[in-house]
Amino acid sequence: MTNMADIHPSNGRPASFDEKHDEKHDSSGKSSLAAGDESPTRLENGKADTALLLNEQEILARVRAHPDDATPIFLTFSKHDSDNPRQWPKWKKWYITCFASFLNVITCLCAGGYSSAQDDIIEVFGVSAEVATLGLSMYILGFAVGPMVLAPLSEYYGRSPVYIGSWFILFIFQLPVALAPNIATVIVCRFIQGFGGSAPLTNTGGSISDVWERNDSGNAMMIYGVSSTFGPPFALVLSGYIVQRTTWHWLFWIFMIITGCLWVLMVFTLPETRHSTILERKAKQLRKVLGKEGVSGAALQNISDVANKLEKRSLHSLFAVQLVRPFRFLFTEPITMGAAAYNGFIYGVVYLFNEAIPKVFADGHDFTVGEWGCAFAGIAIGVLIAACFYPLQERYYLRRVAENDGKGVPEARMWQARFGALLLPISLFWFAWTSYPSVHWIVPIIASSLFGAGIYIVILGVLNYVVDSYQTYSASALAGVILIRNLVGAGFPLFASQMYDKLGNEWASTLLAFLAILFVPIPIWWFYRGEQLRLKSPWAREHFSQDEDAPH
């Protein structure tokens, strides 16, 4: 299973508790014991004591039969537990997948769509292009900061409250931007919007991991990958004509309407999917039921969920882990460093294009704001075409898994990425040297479609590889990747105008192409030598057997 990213919180601590499942439990830790079974699974808790791993009915039966037994009991899902998100009906899983992925598209719409209003903002507030560009960069900077704060909150309160609370921030802060009296208001509120809009970066990949098992997640990840890479270019396709036919104020009013409608749907239709949160609530309800039956307080205190195992969590400790461990991964783990650098470069170029494409098509081909916005359709179409070929990648991965006795093979995630990495420099060279006004405008747009295909293939492959490699610690690794990705994405647009003005359209894009060549060896290296890298990592080595499929 992936996690894109992009983003989802881990359990916030090392997997020091070794769960020893017997044949009565599946690999996800879901109990298949019937209520009252006399031989429950026993787990070593690291203190020379034992604990019992039981489902809800088993706990009720055991505690009622032995009300004074103080043996620690950890609640887990039964094999066909309807409260387990992975046991939900497929229609419900697909609704959650599509809804959460659509949030990615909309938050990217709010990010990149700002560029269509930038010329009007420059004129109205009398600021330079660099100052106006801060409205885009600060939103992406909010993307970088948001996951560092929202990930611990997601673990502590669950995914649903974080979705609802942060998305409301994105919704309500469209209002002051639409009514902004000065550029300072725009810049500050755009940062706050980006912070709120980062909820999908924190949660969506985790939500998909919650409801889909690894070997069944291929199509879900295809949709999630499209939403992550299709959103930024598609934003300009829509926003350009909105600004051209109305005013820049109406762009943010429309954003407010869209995000508000989604927030209402979210409140009423998006369920909690985080396994640890659901189990924690079930354990609390169990203690309440047994308490009413007169079970002693000592016995009740020894009933916990399998995620927390009687440990008291605190936001302080969660923040300590979430803020420190990603940096440790960034500076000590070659896999994380490579993924962060590659993703940073790709997203930097994606958002740099928000400044570059208007120069190529508005200045060189006299496109209106709506028309140069449509020029981004090339990248968006490339993403969709690449997604159509993703089933080939998934088929290859599953074949390698079958050959490996059903265990995961992270290196197989890089099969297509080896070729996708080549598309990036090829497309940038093509785009660079067809940017002359004398060349028909469709030619550089076709080149940009190859770039769109390349970013989809590479980003999905790289992030899948990171998640499969680190598993329990994947959220920490991905937090570092996403932080660098968005810091670079925020920085690139700030120098785009100067770079294209001084080097010219052709040589500026050529410089990006040469930089893209430097990253081509990464997916090739991981595909052929990834096992050695994982063996050298103390974090990845814990999961080298690849026999787990836990949600994140």
Side-chain angles (χ1 to χ4, degrees), residues 42 52 65 80 82 92 131 142 146 245 269 327-328 344 364 488:
R42 290 186 176 270
L52 303 178
H80 300 291
S82 61
K92 191 173 184 179
V131 172
R245 294 178 179 273
T269 67
F327 289 100
R328 185 183 301 176
V488 176

Side-chain angles (χ1 to χ4, degrees), residues 506-528:
E506 295 75 31
W507 281 108
S509 296
T510 298
L511 174 61
L512 298 176
F514 278 121
L515 291 175
I517 291 176
L518 299 178
F519 293 97
V520 169
I522 290 179
I524 299 173
W525 183 25
W526 288 354
F527 182 78
Y528 292 106

Side-chain angles (χ1 to χ4, degrees), residues 162-237:
V162 169
Y163 271 128
I164 292 170
S166 57
W167 198 261
F168 182 79
I169 293 173
L170 175 62
F171 155 66
I172 202 66
F173 273 88
Q174 303 295 339
L175 179 62
V177 177
L179 300 174
N182 51 57
I183 190 64
T185 302
V186 172
I187 292 172
V188 172
C189 291
R190 286 286 292 174
F191 173 78
I192 298 172
Q193 285 179 10
F195 177 91
S198 67
L201 303 183
T202 305
N203 271 350
T204 304
S207 297
I208 293 174
S209 175
D210 290 340
V211 300
W212 296 102
E213 295 181 1
R214 180 179 60 200
N215 292 345
D216 295 329
S217 65
N219 291 331
M221 287 314 303
M222 178 180 69
I223 291 174
Y224 177 55
V226 167
S227 73
S228 300
T229 51
F230 177 81
F234 182 67
L236 280 298
V237 177

Side-chain angles (χ1 to χ4, degrees), residues 124-144:
V124 169
F125 295 125
V127 296
S128 66
E130 290 76 18
V131 172
T133 302
L134 284 172
L136 171 64
S137 293
M138 292 302 287
Y139 189 103
I140 305 168
L141 186 62
F143 269 5

Side-chain angles (χ1 to χ4, degrees), residues 68-376:
D68 298 322
D69 189 345
T71 302
I73 299 175
F74 299 149
L75 172 67
T76 187
F77 292 119
S78 61
K79 191 168 186 179
H80 300 291
D81 197 329
S82 61
D83 290 328
N84 183 351
R86 291 190 172 181
Q87 299 297 323
W88 288 348
K90 280 196 173 181
W91 68 264
K92 191 173 184 179
K93 293 182 181 182
W94 277 115
Y95 175 76
I96 293 168
T97 298
C98 294
F99 187 91
S101 296
F102 188 63
L103 295 180
N104 257 340
V105 175
I106 298 304
T107 195
C108 290
L109 174 65
C110 294
Y114 171 87
S115 295
S116 297
Q118 194 167 306
D119 287 343
D120 289 346
I121 288 174
I122 291 171
E123 182 178 347
V124 169
F125 295 125
V127 296
S128 66
E130 290 76 18
V131 172
T133 302
L134 284 172
L136 171 64
S137 293
M138 292 302 287
Y139 189 103
I140 305 168
L141 186 62
F143 269 5
V145 174
M148 305 299 288
V149 177
L150 297 179
L153 294 177
S154 176
E155 181 176 342
Y156 194 80
Y157 295 107
R159 303 202 194 280
S160 186
V162 169
Y163 271 128
I164 292 170
S166 57
W167 198 261
F168 182 79
I169 293 173
L170 175 62
F171 155 66
I172 202 66
F173 273 88
Q174 303 295 339
L175 179 62
V177 177
L179 300 174
N182 51 57
I183 190 64
T185 302
V186 172
I187 292 172
V188 172
C189 291
R190 286 286 292 174
F191 173 78
I192 298 172
Q193 285 179 10
F195 177 91
S198 67
L201 303 183
T202 305
N203 271 350
T204 304
S207 297
I208 293 174
S209 175
D210 290 340
V211 300
W212 296 102
E213 295 181 1
R214 180 179 60 200
N215 292 345
D216 295 329
S217 65
N219 291 331
M221 287 314 303
M222 178 180 69
I223 291 174
Y224 177 55
V226 167
S227 73
S228 300
T229 51
F230 177 81
F234 182 67
L236 280 298
V237 177
L238 289 182
S239 61
Y241 276 109
I242 291 174
V243 172
Q244 183 173 316
R245 294 178 179 273
T246 57
T247 65
W248 69 271
H249 300 279
W250 262 104
L251 179 66
F252 298 102
W253 288 122
I254 292 173
F255 287 170
M256 189 173 187
I257 292 169
I258 294 172
T259 54
C261 291
L262 285 173
W263 183 79
V264 173
L265 274 176
M266 189 184 298
V267 169
F268 289 103
T269 67
L270 194 63
E272 179 60 57
T273 63
R274 187 175 177 84
H275 290 211
S276 60
T277 301
I278 296 171
L279 286 171
E280 187 176 14
R281 293 173 182 173
K282 285 166 69 74
K284 183 178 180 180
Q285 183 62 28
L286 270 175
R287 291 192 295 269
K288 183 177 179 180
V289 169
L290 292 169
K292 289 181 178 179
E293 296 179 5
V295 175
S296 67
L300 293 180
Q301 290 174 4
N302 283 311
I303 298 175
S304 179
D305 58 277
V306 72
N308 292 314
K309 308 179 183 76
L310 298 177
E311 295 180 12
K312 290 186 177 180
R313 299 181 304 151
S314 69
L315 276 177
H316 178 270
S317 62
L318 289 175
F319 272 106
V321 171
Q322 292 287 348
L323 294 177
V324 173
R325 191 185 288 168
F327 289 100
R328 185 183 301 176
F329 273 68
L330 273 175
F331 292 108
T332 63
E333 291 291 304
I335 294 174
T336 307
M337 287 188 279
Y342 208 171
N343 273 264
F345 171 74
I346 289 173
Y347 271 83
V349 174
V350 167
Y351 286 109
L352 181 146
F353 268 22
N354 283 26
E355 305 298 318
I357 282 185
K359 288 188 171 296
V360 172
F361 292 97
D363 298 344
H365 295 280
D366 296 323
F367 278 21
T368 64
V369 63
E371 289 169 342
W372 67 251
C374 283
F376 283 86

